[in-house]
């Protein structure tokens, strides 16, 4: 029986090695009509997340073989689309949250948590990423074809280099949120040290292709924070 919040049935992967927590999530969520798969190890969870098309991954931070942060990092690197991730942790320090968000987690819940709140967060994330699960991502004049890894603006092909395409995809998937410089660097280069001017140079090149020939700039710099796409006529 649905709780009236949303009639949508979600396909969820739960990566959690504590049997009692996994069982509680299963009992509550399956009773609400959601379909769940389970993994107890990080490497197993990563493999399942890359193989199946889940609406959402509920990911514990402390896992055997591969921890949640590493699962999250590899999933963001290897997955062909953005699957929303809610990270579970027993630790409530700001460092854990920052590292989780930097690596690509979408939301965070600290144990113990309310199962009702977990479901509310799942719905919120699945709605936000419904558009992003599609192969074609459309934001007003901008259309990104994930399968072909190509983008057009106002019907014109954008001759993007690989790095330009990756930056544009990251900004488009995050829209309407701001992506910090550190988040962008992490997604592009991981922990590899990079020249401080490298990102600036790639953004400059992207702007020349994405913004210069058109009627308004889409890449907006948020001073001392990062970048956000400016979509003038975004329609849902």
């Amino acid at each position: 029986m649905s709780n009236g919040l949303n009639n949508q049935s979600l396909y969820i992967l739960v990566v959690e090695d504590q049997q009692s927590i996994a069982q509680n999530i299963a009992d509550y969520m399956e009773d609400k009509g959601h379909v769940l798969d389970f993994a107890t190890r990080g490497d197993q969870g990563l493999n399942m997340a890359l193989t199946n098309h889940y609406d959402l991954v509920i990911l514990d931070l402390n896992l055997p073989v591969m921890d949640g942060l590493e699962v999250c990092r590899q999933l963001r690197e290897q997955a062909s689309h953005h699957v929303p991730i809610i990270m579970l942790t027993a630790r409530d320090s700001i460092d854990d949250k920052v590292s989780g968000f930097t690596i690509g987690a979408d939301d965070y819940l600290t144990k113990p948590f309310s199962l009702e709140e977990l479901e509310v967060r799942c719905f919120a994330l699945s709605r936000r990423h419904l558009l992003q699960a599609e192969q074609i991502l459309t934001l007003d004049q901008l259309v990104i074809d994930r399968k072909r890894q190509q983008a057009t603006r106002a019907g014109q092909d954008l001759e993007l280099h690989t790095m330009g395409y990756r930056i544009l995809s990251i900004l488009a998937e995050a829209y309407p949120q701001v992506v910090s410089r550190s988040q962008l660097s992490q997604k592009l280069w991981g922990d590899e040290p990079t020249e401080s001017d490298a990102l600036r140079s790639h953004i400059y090149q992207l702007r020349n292709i994405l913004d210069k020939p058109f009627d308004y700039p889409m890449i907006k710099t948020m001073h001392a924070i990062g970048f956000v796409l400016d979509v003038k006529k975004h329609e849902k």
Side-chain angles (χ1 to χ4, degrees):
M1 188 78 183
S2 173
N3 63 354
L5 174 72
N6 196 311
N7 293 322
Q8 182 189 3
S9 175
L10 298 175
Y11 184 26
I12 301 170
L13 172 64
V14 179
V15 191
E16 169 62 74
D17 65 320
Q18 286 182 261
Q19 182 62 36
S20 59
I21 294 174
Q23 191 62 54
N24 284 342
I25 293 173
D27 291 345
Y28 185 88
M29 298 295 268
E30 287 176 349
D31 187 50
K32 295 297 178 90
H34 304 299
V35 179
L36 275 63
D37 282 347
F38 293 88
T40 55
R41 300 196 325 253
D43 58 332
Q44 180 191 18
L46 175 64
N47 186 48
M48 290 172 73
L50 290 170
T51 307
N52 304 302
H53 199 107
Y54 296 103
D55 294 311
L56 192 91
V57 175
I58 297 172
L59 178 64
D60 188 33
L61 188 63
N62 297 310
L63 292 165
V65 185
M66 182 188 290
D67 72 20
L69 288 179
E70 184 61 20
V71 173
C72 186
R73 191 181 69 76
Q74 292 204 27
L75 189 55
R76 287 290 173 256
E77 281 181 4
Q78 298 177 47
S80 58
H81 67 285
H82 184 96
V83 56
I85 294 172
I86 295 182
M87 201 163 264
L88 305 179
T89 178
R91 295 177 294 185
D92 196 20
S93 84
I94 195 74
D95 289 347
D96 289 328
K97 292 190 177 181
V98 168
S99 56
F101 284 129
T102 302
I103 274 169
D106 297 278
D107 205 352
Y108 224 97
L109 271 180
T110 305
K111 299 173 185 176
F113 51 84
S114 141
L115 290 164
E116 189 177 0
E117 183 182 3
L118 178 63
E119 190 191 23
V120 168
R121 301 275 192 102
C122 287
F123 275 132
L125 277 183
S126 69
R127 275 197 291 263
R128 193 196 305 169
H129 290 283
L130 205 56
L131 178 70
Q132 299 174 5
E134 301 301 322
Q135 291 294 350
I136 306 291
L137 179 58
T138 305
L139 296 171
D140 187 41
Q141 297 181 351
L142 178 65
V143 178
I144 297 176
D145 184 334
R146 286 196 177 89
K147 204 171 183 72
R148 292 165 55 224
Q149 297 215 335
Q150 290 179 332
T152 61
R153 180 169 178 184
Q156 295 183 39
D157 284 339
L158 301 173
E159 300 293 327
L160 296 170
H161 296 300
T162 305
M163 199 59 84
Y165 173 80
R166 287 184 66 194
I167 293 169
L168 185 57
S169 295
I170 291 164
L171 294 177
E173 284 176 358
Y175 178 84
Q177 296 176 322
V178 177
V179 180
S180 72
R181 284 182 168 81
S182 60
Q183 281 176 318
L184 205 45
S185 293
Q186 176 73 32
K187 285 175 183 286
L188 294 171
W189 296 292
D191 293 324
E192 301 283 320
T194 51
E195 297 288 325
S196 59
D197 288 341
L199 182 59
R200 189 182 296 117
S201 170
H202 287 302
I203 293 280
Y204 175 77
Q205 290 172 29
L206 177 58
R207 279 191 163 122
N208 278 340
I209 298 166
L210 176 69
D211 290 344
K212 221 171 182 180
F214 299 95
D215 55 356
Y216 72 91
M218 289 190 83
I219 299 178
K220 188 176 178 184
T221 302
M222 305 297 284
H223 183 63
I225 305 172
F227 306 94
V228 65
L229 281 188
D230 186 13
V231 178
K232 297 286 187 194
K233 312 177 197 68
H234 177 52
E235 293 175 4
K236 292 194 174 175

